[in-house]
């Protein structure tokens, strides 16, 4: 629905459920502001290709473990299918009480990478297994040679080769 943002002071209100009055409190000063509001949308639609993988992972499996598998699959796909790693990414979603892995093209309008992953998912899984099994870092951690990259740095402390290997063992 977007936000109403004052053109003078920058105060903002969500459009949904908000009734605007003729005046409002200035964002920085303890006084009334005479600015007018304009409606803004802070998001956008992003159309691309994606594949949603239901691997039978239930909600009892911590999301950090599933993220490790997600990044292993992305690395395996990049290696096995010759896809530039920065052209694919992934996330974990919940559908029907199960955790699902969603892999998507980062190329606007899609480049067909996710469709290729879906067509060759067994090769991707075996590539993911090789990637994490052969890495020389400790199984209780990960490194840039197996799971870590710039885009997933927020999750670096949670990503482990052990989690990826254990989950891959259940789906291979």
């Amino acid at each position: 629905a977007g936000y109403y943002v004052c053109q003078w002071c920058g105060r903002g209100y969500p459009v949904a459920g908000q009734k605007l009055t003729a005046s409002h409190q200035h964002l920085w000063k303890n006084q009334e502001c005479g600015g007018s509001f304009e409606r803004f949308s802070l998001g956008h639609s992003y159309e691309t290709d994606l594949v949603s993988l239901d691997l039978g992972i239930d909600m009892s499996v911590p999301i950090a473990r599933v993220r490790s598998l997600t990044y292993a699959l992305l690395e395996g796909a990049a290696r096995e299918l010759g896809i530039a790693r920065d052209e694919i990414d992934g996330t974990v979603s919940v559908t029907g009480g199960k955790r699902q892995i969603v892999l998507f093209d980062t190329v606007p309008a899609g480049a067909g990478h996710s469709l290729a992953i879906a067509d060759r998912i067994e090769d991707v899984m075996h590539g993911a297994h090789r990637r994490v099994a052969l890495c020389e870092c400790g199984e209780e951690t990960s490194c840039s040679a197996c799971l870590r990259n710039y885009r997933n740095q927020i999750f670096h402390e949670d990503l482990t080769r052990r989690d990826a290997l254990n989950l891959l063992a259940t789906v291979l």
Side-chain angles (χ1 to χ4, degrees), residues 78-153:
R79 183 177 190 164
E80 292 299 309
L81 306 179
I83 301 169
R85 178 58 184 87
D86 63 343
E87 291 187 3
I88 54 175
D89 210 347
T91 189
V92 179
S93 71
V94 176
T95 304
K98 292 183 181 178
R99 297 200 190 276
Q100 293 188 341
I101 295 174
V102 178
L103 305 180
F104 55 90
D105 294 6
T106 59
V107 179
H113 300 317
S114 299
L115 305 176
I117 292 170
D119 287 342
R120 296 187 49 201
I121 191 64
E122 284 188 38
D123 293 335
V124 169
M125 287 186 181
H126 287 292
H129 186 270
R130 277 190 298 278
R131 177 82 178 223
V132 292
L134 298 176
C135 190
E136 295 179 0
C137 70
E139 278 193 6
E140 71 286 351
T141 189
S142 61
C143 68
S144 60
C146 58
L147 299 176
R148 296 181 182 189
N149 63 40
Y150 179 77
R151 288 188 179 184
N152 67 13
Q153 63 185 317

Side-chain angles (χ1 to χ4, degrees), residues 13-161:
Y13 298 102
V15 169
Q18 190 69 274
K19 195 168 200 163
L20 291 178
T21 59
S23 65
H24 62 278
Q25 190 73 19
H26 194 282
L27 184 62
W28 308 309
K29 303 174 185 173
N30 191 17
Q31 64 187 39
E32 196 171 299
C33 179
S36 62
F37 285 95
E38 186 173 337
R39 187 175 177 167
F40 288 94
S41 292
L42 302 178
H44 67 280
S45 296
Y46 188 81
E47 293 185 26
T48 192
D49 296 328
L50 65 87
V51 60
S52 182
L53 303 173
D54 183 353
L55 302 174
I57 302 169
D58 65 33
M59 294 297 291
S60 66
V61 178
I63 194 166
R65 292 186 65 203
V66 183
R67 278 194 191 109
S68 293
L69 175 58
T70 301
Y71 290 113
L73 290 172
L74 288 164
E75 296 298 336
R79 183 177 190 164
E80 292 299 309
L81 306 179
I83 301 169
R85 178 58 184 87
D86 63 343
E87 291 187 3
I88 54 175
D89 210 347
T91 189
V92 179
S93 71
V94 176
T95 304
K98 292 183 181 178
R99 297 200 190 276
Q100 293 188 341
I101 295 174
V102 178
L103 305 180
F104 55 90
D105 294 6
T106 59
V107 179
H113 300 317
S114 299
L115 305 176
I117 292 170
D119 287 342
R120 296 187 49 201
I121 191 64
E122 284 188 38
D123 293 335
V124 169
M125 287 186 181
H126 287 292
H129 186 270
R130 277 190 298 278
R131 177 82 178 223
V132 292
L134 298 176
C135 190
E136 295 179 0
C137 70
E139 278 193 6
E140 71 286 351
T141 189
S142 61
C143 68
S144 60
C146 58
L147 299 176
R148 296 181 182 189
N149 63 40
Y150 179 77
R151 288 188 179 184
N152 67 13
Q153 63 185 317
I154 191 171
F155 305 122
H156 282 183
E157 296 303 314
D158 295 332
L159 301 177
T160 70
R161 289 190 319 115

